[in-house]
Amino acid sequence: GAVVSQHPSWVICKSGTSVKIECRSLDFQATTMFWYRQFPKQSLMLMATSNEGSKATYEQGVEKDKFLINHASLTLSTLTVTSAHPEDSSFYICSARDRRQGPEKLFFGSGTQLSVL
Amino acid sequence: GENVEQHPSTLSVQEGDSAVIKCTYSDSASNYFPWYKQELGKGPQLIIDIRSNVGEKKDQRIAVTLNKTAKHFSLHITETQPEDSAVYFCAAVARTDSWGKLQFGAGTQVVVTP
C-alpha cells in the first residue's frame, strides 16, 4: 500500500502550549488529506479534510481555531493543536488517498499520541 | 448520514479457528467497504476492501462478503494466528461527486490465544 508518514509518534506538552503534527505522503501526491482523532478503545472520528492550496473543511463540533490545518504542498499537511489543554490529549491520525491504487483507498499514518499535562 | 454498526465488540478465538466480524450500514448509496486492522499504538492498516458490484473477495486467509440487499458485510479470518490479534474496523463510504468520508464501525477487539 501507499506510505503515509506521520511525525512525531508521540509528544508531551504543557497546558497552554501549541503542538504541530506533520503528515507526509512519501511516494505519492495527495491533494486531500484527512485528520482523525481517536480516544482509547474508541473508533476513529474525522476532524477535518485538508485540501492542498485551500482552506480545510472541518467537521461539525471541531474548532478550527483550536486545530489549525495547513496543506501547503501535495505531500505535506500539518495539524497544529493550539493552546493545548488536557482534554486535547488523544491519538491523532492522518490519512490520504493514493489515486494510483484506486480513488477510494484510504491509507493511514502511524498516528501521534498527544499528552497534555 | 451513514451509520455503521459492528459486532461483536470483542472476539476471542483459539489459534487455528476462524473469526467472523459483521457490520451493517444504513445508507444504500454506500458502495465501498474497507476493513482496517489496528495494532496498539499504531495507525489503521487497510487489509481488504470490497466494492458494491462484488459479492465476495478473498486474499489468502482473509475474505470479505457483501450483501447489498440486507446492507451488511462481513470479515472472515481463517486459520487465525496470534499475530491476527488486533482491533478491526469496518467502514463504509458513498461516492458522491468525489469519494466522501469514511464512516467507521466501533471496532472489534480480536484476541487469538495459542
Side-chain angles (χ1 to χ4, degrees), chain A residues 36 38 42-44 46 59 91 93 97 103-110, chain B residues 32 36 38 41-44 46 49 51 89 99-102 104-106:
Chain A
Y36 288 81
Q38 186 178 33
Q42 293 191 22
S43 190
L44 291 85
L46 179 65
E59 294 302 298
F91 193 56
I93 321 171
R97 288 198 166 92
E104 67 281 291
K105 291 184 187 290
L106 192 64
F107 297 94
F108 286 83
S110 54
Chain B
Y32 174 66
Y36 289 86
Q38 186 178 28
K42 297 184 179 180
L46 179 66
D49 56 6
R51 299 189 71 171
F89 291 98
W99 287 104
K101 307 163 191 172
L102 274 179
F104 285 88

Side-chain angles (χ1 to χ4, degrees), chain B residues 12-86:
Chain B
S12 294
V13 295
Q14 201 77 20
E15 182 178 359
D17 289 348
S18 295
V20 180
I21 304 170
K22 298 182 179 181
C23 289
T24 60
Y25 61 98
S26 61
D27 189 349
S28 57
S30 289
N31 54 4
Y32 174 66
F33 308 91
W35 286 88
Y36 289 86
K37 174 184 180 182
Q38 186 178 28
E39 297 177 342
L40 191 62
K42 297 184 179 180
Q45 175 191 5
L46 179 66
I47 57 172
I48 196 167
D49 56 6
I50 193 168
R51 299 189 71 171
S52 59
N53 58 348
V54 176
E56 184 174 356
K57 185 177 178 180
K58 189 175 181 180
D59 182 5
Q60 298 183 340
R61 295 187 297 108
I62 59 173
V64 57
T65 59
L66 171 66
N67 183 326
K68 285 193 300 180
T69 303
K71 294 183 192 171
H72 67 69
F73 56 113
S74 301
L75 178 71
H76 304 252
I77 307 173
T78 59
E79 300 174 31
T80 54
Q81 301 168 5
E83 52 264 38
D84 294 328
S85 296

Side-chain angles (χ1 to χ4, degrees), chain A residues 76-90:
Chain A
L76 174 65
S77 175
T78 60
L79 168 68
T80 301
V81 183
T82 62
S83 187
H85 288 94
E87 56 266 30
D88 298 324
S89 298
S90 186

Side-chain angles (χ1 to χ4, degrees), chain A residues 35-87:
Chain A
W35 287 95
Y36 288 81
R37 185 173 183 177
Q38 186 178 33
F39 291 106
K41 298 187 184 298
Q42 293 191 22
S43 190
L44 291 85
M45 182 183 71
L46 179 65
M47 298 175 64
T49 302
S50 170
N51 303 297
E52 188 268 335
S54 64
K55 292 182 179 180
T57 305
Y58 291 82
E59 294 302 298
Q60 190 173 9
V62 178
E63 300 176 59
K64 61 180 180 180
D65 294 330
K66 157 71 84 175
F67 300 101
L68 299 179
I69 291 174
N70 184 281
H71 195 152
S73 78
L74 288 172
T75 59
L76 174 65
S77 175
T78 60
L79 168 68
T80 301
V81 183
T82 62
S83 187
H85 288 94
E87 56 266 30

